[in-house]
Amino acid sequence: MKASKQIPLRERVQKQLIKRVRARLPGAVLDRVPALMAADIPDEKVSLRDTSYPVQVTQILKETDKAVTIRFRPMEGYRLHYRAGQYVRVAVQLGSSIFRRCYSLTSSPEESDMAITVKKVFRGRVSQHLVRRLKEGDVFSIEDPQGDFVLPANHTYDSRYVMIAAGSGIAPVFALIKDILAKNPDADVLLLYSNRSNDEVIYRKALDHMAKFYRSLSVEYFFTRQGSRRKKRKLTDEYVLQQIADPSKAYIYISAPTRLTNSLVDIFKQAGIDDE
């Protein structure tokens, strides 16, 4: 005699709820919530379409010899909501394999197209493909924007901001600055931006133009290597502290390699600056 299969009450209720949700939601929405819809159906496989949105490249801008900004637009009528400073996971198919990489959104939410900036990495298959081979009209996929490197919820556009970036770490900071100044052209924003040389400065033209247009924006460049056009000027912890007149009235954002970030965080703690 076969034993009857007893289904726990909780599981039966979950299944009934999922059936009701499926009956009420459009198919296009169901495609984007696989975790909920397949919560108790392990036999269903989650595909790339289940978790991502197709986007089409609208423009590619060369920033440096190794970096490009890729502007794109979601297809199929989708419009993704995000906050400046967040990132997306990009999925590209190379041969028979799909590769995923995370890139900060460099566009602000008010812009018609979304954008990421990709810097070519040595032996990086995805970055090499995006920088060298991607062209206008091409299609790739992105997942939902996420991340908490965003502006504070209160007094967002009337505060003082000190932005510290190094290398490609400028990407989310660039989006934050654009968002702040679009909402409040008189916002007090200081950008301290470090690179190895002048040739590696991303968004140089855009930043210089913004600094001329918005008098409240100050941009300072720092270089760790001596160059023919720019003298070596290293960003130091002491200099950063000098630029923060009153820490209680400033928001400080750091987007840089771990070594520089940890060094700055340590000196901020020593100066009594709150972590938040």
Side-chain angles (χ1 to χ4, degrees):
M1 183 177 68
K2 293 183 179 180
S4 61
K5 185 178 180 180
Q6 297 295 326
I7 302 177
L9 176 60
R10 181 177 180 180
E11 185 175 341
R12 293 202 305 270
V13 172
Q14 286 179 338
K15 288 186 175 182
Q16 290 175 359
L17 287 174
I18 289 176
K19 286 182 179 179
R20 292 180 181 178
V21 171
R22 280 177 167 164
R24 291 177 177 273
L25 291 179
V29 176
L30 292 176
D31 286 343
R32 305 306 182 201
V33 286
L36 171 62
M37 293 300 98
D40 66 331
I41 310 176
D43 294 332
E44 293 186 5
K45 294 183 179 179
V46 177
S47 67
L48 180 63
R49 178 171 174 78
D50 291 328
T51 60
S52 62
Y53 305 84
V55 298
Q56 187 170 38
V57 179
T58 57
Q59 188 180 25
I60 298 179
L61 303 172
K62 183 178 180 181
E63 301 291 353
T64 68
D65 289 340
K66 297 181 179 180
V68 297
T69 292
I70 302 168
R71 301 188 67 82
F72 54 87
R73 189 172 300 166
M75 302 171 67
E76 301 180 4
Y78 288 104
R79 181 173 177 82
L80 304 186
H81 297 282
Y82 63 95
R83 298 176 65 184
Q86 290 192 304
Y87 67 91
V88 292
R89 192 159 70 153
V90 172
V92 295
Q93 184 164 353
L94 302 178
S96 58
S97 301
I98 294 176
F99 295 83
R100 291 178 172 87
R101 297 291 186 273
C102 293
Y103 292 102
S104 294
L105 288 166
T106 58
S107 52
S108 63
E110 287 73 25
E111 295 181 62
S112 57
D113 288 350
M114 303 174 74
I116 58 174
T117 297
V118 181
K119 185 176 181 179
K120 185 171 58 177
V121 179
F122 180 63
R123 291 184 178 179
R125 295 188 63 178
V126 176
S127 65
Q128 295 271 357
H129 170 77
L130 294 176
V131 173
R132 289 182 172 181
R133 299 182 179 86
L134 200 70
K135 59 184 183 299
E136 292 183 15
D138 284 353
V139 175
F140 59 92
S141 298
I142 64 171
E143 297 183 7
D144 285 302
Q146 55 186 309
D148 56 5
F149 192 76
V150 296
L151 298 176
N154 300 319
H155 307 292
T156 303
Y157 305 108
D158 57 358
S159 302
R160 171 171 167 75
Y161 289 91
V162 177
M163 306 286 189
I164 306 165
S168 57
I170 186 65
V173 169
F174 185 56
L176 290 173
I177 293 175
K178 288 194 295 182
D179 192 42
I180 293 170
L181 295 176
K183 301 291 176 40
N184 180 11
D186 297 321
D188 185 0
V189 182
L190 169 64
L191 171 62
L192 306 177
Y193 185 18
S194 177
N195 285 276
R196 285 184 294 183
S197 66
N198 182 64
D199 294 336
E200 296 187 31
V201 178
I202 301 174
Y203 313 128
R204 182 60 187 261
K205 291 182 179 179
L207 288 171
D208 288 347
H209 175 75
M210 291 168 64
K212 290 181 180 179
F213 187 82
Y214 298 101
R215 295 183 178 181
S216 59
L217 170 64
S218 298
V219 181
E220 296 188 38
Y221 299 101
F222 300 84
F223 304 102
T224 58
R225 294 182 181 178
Q226 185 75 34
S228 57
R229 288 182 293 172
R230 295 283 175 174
K231 294 182 179 181
K232 182 177 180 180
R233 184 192 179 199
K234 189 175 181 180
L235 180 64
T236 64
D237 300 340
E238 292 75 14
Y239 185 83
V240 173
L241 276 181
Q242 291 174 9
Q243 308 311 306
I244 307 174
D246 187 351
S248 65
K249 295 183 179 180
Y251 288 102
I252 307 169
Y253 284 73
I254 309 172
S255 182
T258 304
R259 184 175 180 179
L260 176 57
T261 299
N262 290 342
S263 176
L264 290 171
V265 170
D266 287 342
I267 198 168
F268 289 157
K269 289 182 179 179
Q270 295 175 17
I273 299 177
D274 193 284
D275 287 344
E276 295 183 4

